[in-house]
Amino acid sequence: MLQNRSSYPPQQSAVAPSLASSSEKSIPTSLTPSALRTSVTTPRKVTIYDRNLNRRAPELSLAAFAFLFNEIVQYSQKNVKGIQEMETKLSENGYHVGQRVLELTVIREIKSAKRETRVLGLLQFINTSIWKSVFGKPADALEKSKDQEDEYMIIDNDPIVNKYISVPKEMSQLNCAAFQAGIVEAVMDGCQFPARVTAHSVPTDLFPLKTVFLVKLDPVVVERERYMR
Amino acid sequence: MVVYSLYILNKAAGLIYQRDFNEGLKRLSSNDYLVLSGTFHAVYAIASQISPVPSSSGIEVLETETFRLQCFQTLTGTKFLLISEPRQQNTDAVLRRIYELYADYVIKNPFYQIEMPVRCELFDRHLATYIRGIP
Amino acid sequence: MARTPRQVGEEVWKTRVEKVNAELVTLTYGSVVAQLCKDFGNDYIQVNEQLDKMGYNIGIRLIEDFLARTNTSRCRTFKDTAEIISKVGFKIFLNITPTVGNWSQDNKQFSLIFDENPLADFVELPDDGKAVNELWYSNILCGVLRGALEMVQTQVEAQFINDVLRGHETTEMRVTLIRILEDEMPVGDD
């Protein structure tokens, strides 16, 4: 149990929202990561770990997100050789977010204690719950590739991160929703369904920003699926 | 409503956007568009200076028998010029809405560098939809 | 009757602002700071600078969105500016209204005191004994203010002087008016 808890090292989560249970304070000092020692010596101080995670934060403006995301896009454009490398950087930022989104979601749904064991179940969870809580609406479709056993597609007609972005013609290969793909990849990995997730533009007249998130499962997952079938 | 065209001028009077939406005006050469912007900018400035009332605005409306030009200058110094039919009402409100579209689809586009010419597909698209929908 | 900045902020927030899940913003900002810490090898002084630069970039753009949504007219005094920043600016973007206070005698310096700060929700600084003395986690906000105000010809300096993440009682940003850029005032601005 103690060992379990110390695998929640605050120093690892560093500068991002960290999560842990409130009972950490009772861990003997000798076994406690040093960051927590403060809360042992000053027991009345309320740490971030004592705060209720179910208190949903109020909404913020989409503009605030858009401006922040703009900076991520511009920063990712620096010192990269090509579009692919830029998308990788965007995806890494998304991954960081996705890891925490998953952890938050799992802690919040701890009572239901349900674990997805099949690919389809997990993808449906992402397609509906995760999408809705993070992007405010469920994704528009979930499809299985007809030819590739290891490929699924999550379709979003209007990804929120691309809402205001017009990609210049010379960069037409770029889809900034690579950030969103990174979020999905982190959730897949975190649920023990390792996969590679990439974002691809498939504009239509009605939905110029339509994006397909291609989920390519790791061979391990495909094998496990076969076995469980 | 017939809106003929929209011009956007940056702080330095450079023309950063020009679109025609409806037939009705003679087309100008691209050089003439630049001249028109520069000249308007200068006249706008002079008009505000010759006004006997201190800190007057520049020219907000310019009316002719064949068209009406409405100007809206933001606090940051960007100018939006809308050329429409002479009897067109509420052009001021139309420009304010266009300013919002500009704030969304130009300013929030990470590939747009401020003060530079506007090439944003989504802005063109949303602007065209909006102009078409004006009663 | 003219409406107060608070009323304007509330109304714009309720009726004219598209919303997004706050956690998405908080976590995304976290990913930016974490990335910078990594890229600059935990040189927090450089991270602060980079955050301020990013903020400045945001500010010079965000001002257009602010003006387009709020129809704000030019502030007559720096006191008005402070009120608008808190009650309208912070309100419509981050849904908070930091308290304006600690005015200097010449009315050229004030503080924004943050009771809440969505950027830093559930954040803990790195436990390296350094960040707590060097990193201003929310420094991007200083740049935003500097950039946005510069675009309306108001030159300011902004910096955090306290942050609850560092163990201080409050989170406080100090804003100083350097000068009004009269020369850059658009001609015919009424």
Side-chain angles (χ1 to χ4, degrees), chain A residues 51-57 104 107-109 111, chain C residues 122:
Chain A
R51 288 181 42 199
N52 189 344
L53 281 168
N54 268 328
R55 187 196 69 102
R56 298 278 171 155
L104 265 172
I107 292 176
R108 281 185 181 137
E109 296 187 359
K111 282 208 184 86
Chain C
F122 287 102

Side-chain angles (χ1 to χ4, degrees), chain B residues 45-57:
Chain B
I46 291 165
S48 76
Q49 282 158 9
I50 58 173
S51 165
V53 183
S55 69
S56 279
S57 79

Side-chain angles (χ1 to χ4, degrees), chain C residues 59-78:
Chain C
I60 59 176
R61 291 167 175 263
L62 172 141
I63 185 68
E64 302 284 6
D65 199 42
F66 172 83
L67 294 172
R69 305 281 153 205
T70 61
N71 253 332
T72 306
S73 50
R74 189 170 295 281
C75 294
R76 303 280 166 219
T77 66
F78 198 47

Side-chain angles (χ1 to χ4, degrees), chain A residues 10-11 14-18 34-35 48-49 51-53 55 57-65 67-68 70-72 74-75 78 93 96-97 100-101 104 108 133-135 160 163-164 179 183, chain C residues 13 17-40 50 54 57-58 61-62 65 92-95 118 121-127 135 137 140:
Chain A
Q11 57 267 66
V15 284
S18 331
S34 58
I48 55 172
Y49 307 107
R51 288 181 42 199
N52 189 344
L53 281 168
R55 187 196 69 102
E59 292 179 303
L60 301 180
S61 78
L62 176 57
F65 175 78
F67 284 119
L68 187 56
N70 269 1
E71 289 307 305
I72 295 181
Q74 289 179 37
Y75 189 78
K78 285 181 198 155
N93 276 105
H96 180 106
V97 174
R100 288 155 180 82
V101 164
L104 265 172
R108 281 185 181 137
S133 76
V134 183
F135 308 122
I160 201 170
K163 183 162 178 135
Y164 304 116
F179 174 82
I183 295 180
Chain C
W13 169 255
V17 172
E18 210 172 325
K19 317 288 196 303
V20 70
N21 177 349
E23 277 160 2
L24 177 63
V25 182
T26 307
L27 293 172
T28 303
Y29 185 65
S31 88
V32 170
V33 184
Q35 162 127 47
L36 293 179
C37 287
K38 192 174 136 221
D39 291 356
F40 291 100
Q50 188 63 37
M54 283 183 164
N57 259 334
I58 292 178
R61 291 167 175 263
L62 172 141
D65 199 42
I92 70 170
F93 291 106
L94 294 179
N95 193 17
D121 227 6
F122 287 102
V123 170
E124 190 172 68
L125 296 182
D127 179 30
L135 180 62
Y137 184 83
I140 199 162

Side-chain angles (χ1 to χ4, degrees), chain A residues 134-151:
Chain A
V134 183
F135 308 122
K137 53 160 197 181
D140 295 287
L142 171 64
E143 290 171 13
K144 184 173 185 343
S145 163
K146 287 189 189 80
D147 343 302
Q148 306 291 333
E149 194 188 1
D150 60 347
E151 288 184 359

Side-chain angles (χ1 to χ4, degrees), chain A residues 203-208, chain B residues 125:
Chain A
T204 65
D205 271 351
L206 195 55
F207 301 112
Chain B
R125 190 182 269 265

